[in-house]
Amino acid sequence: IASSGRPCTASDRASHSSLSNLAWDSYATGEETMTEIMLNGLTTNSPAALLGVAKSWLSPPKVEVEGQGYRNDGYDPTQRAFVLTKAAEAASPSVGLIFQASAASPLFDPAILIKDWGEEGATLKINGKEVAEGEDFREGHIRRLGGTDLIVWLREEATQPTKIELSLRGRFGKSHKGRPQ
């Protein structure tokens, strides 16, 4: 394990920012690779305030997908995102995601990645109520050689089933950068 050379004498008396003294299970291993997933950062929040996000990442809610032509690829812990794939042009212009959130598997500020969505923007409804793009709903695109993905982030917390609907923004809608589609 690469290290700065500054040893940690005890796990509760760290004198540096190296995290090489921590051990956790590998997410994936290969012949010459190993992937481990860890989140670190700084906050002024109490540990109790972080419990919801930790639960949502360790035990994400199950998702049911409504809408023809969309495949549920599941929750990807390496991206901390729920991933779907839009199948060709035959897909319906909207997709519904029903998150089976509970106290044990809460929904906490989810990220949703829809592969092959296209260049269009999206409109959002949560439990039937439209949410305007802004502080509580952000979207962007990931352009690849083979297509364009939509990435959506929502400020939403729930411990009961929650329906999120994403629809193609109309031809004269605005993209996340304010340019006409």
Side-chain angles (χ1 to χ4, degrees):
I1 299 173
S3 174
S4 65
R6 298 185 74 183
C8 179
T9 57
S11 62
D12 65 344
R13 289 175 176 75
S15 59
H16 52 79
S17 61
S18 171
L19 299 172
S20 61
N21 63 312
L22 300 176
W24 59 96
D25 294 336
S26 297
Y27 173 71
T29 57
E31 190 173 315
E32 296 182 17
T33 63
M34 178 173 55
T35 301
E36 293 181 341
I37 303 171
M38 187 176 116
L39 173 71
N40 60 50
L42 301 172
T43 183
T44 57
N45 289 337
S46 68
L50 300 175
L51 189 57
V53 71
K55 279 184 175 181
S56 74
W57 287 354
L58 293 171
S59 182
K62 301 286 185 217
V63 179
E64 297 171 20
V65 177
E66 294 180 341
Q68 185 176 11
Y70 293 89
R71 182 181 73 231
N72 183 358
D73 296 328
Y75 181 77
D76 181 355
T78 64
Q79 299 184 74
R80 304 288 189 210
F82 296 91
V83 181
L84 285 77
T85 299
K86 181 180 174 183
E89 297 300 320
S92 61
S94 64
V95 61
L97 293 92
I98 302 170
F99 291 89
Q100 298 300 326
S102 67
S105 296
L107 184 66
F108 192 98
D109 295 350
I112 302 166
L113 174 66
I114 304 178
K115 295 178 181 178
D116 299 321
W117 174 269
E119 294 287 332
E120 297 85 4
T123 59
L124 169 73
K125 289 182 181 178
I126 299 176
N127 293 326
K129 182 180 176 185
E130 192 160 334
V131 178
E133 190 174 350
E135 288 294 315
D136 297 331
F137 163 41
R138 297 181 185 183
E139 68 171 334
H141 291 87
I142 301 168
R143 290 172 180 83
R144 302 174 286 106
L145 288 176
T148 302
D149 305 337
L150 176 73
I151 183 80
V152 171
W153 174 85
L154 315 172
R155 185 182 319 263
E156 179 70 18
E157 296 179 30
T159 55
Q160 66 276 346
T162 302
K163 183 173 183 178
I164 293 173
E165 298 170 80
L166 292 164
S167 301
L168 288 173
R169 188 171 295 133
R171 180 178 173 162
F172 299 105
K174 295 194 179 216
S175 72
H176 66 285
K177 294 182 180 176
R179 294 187 309 253
Q181 292 289 315

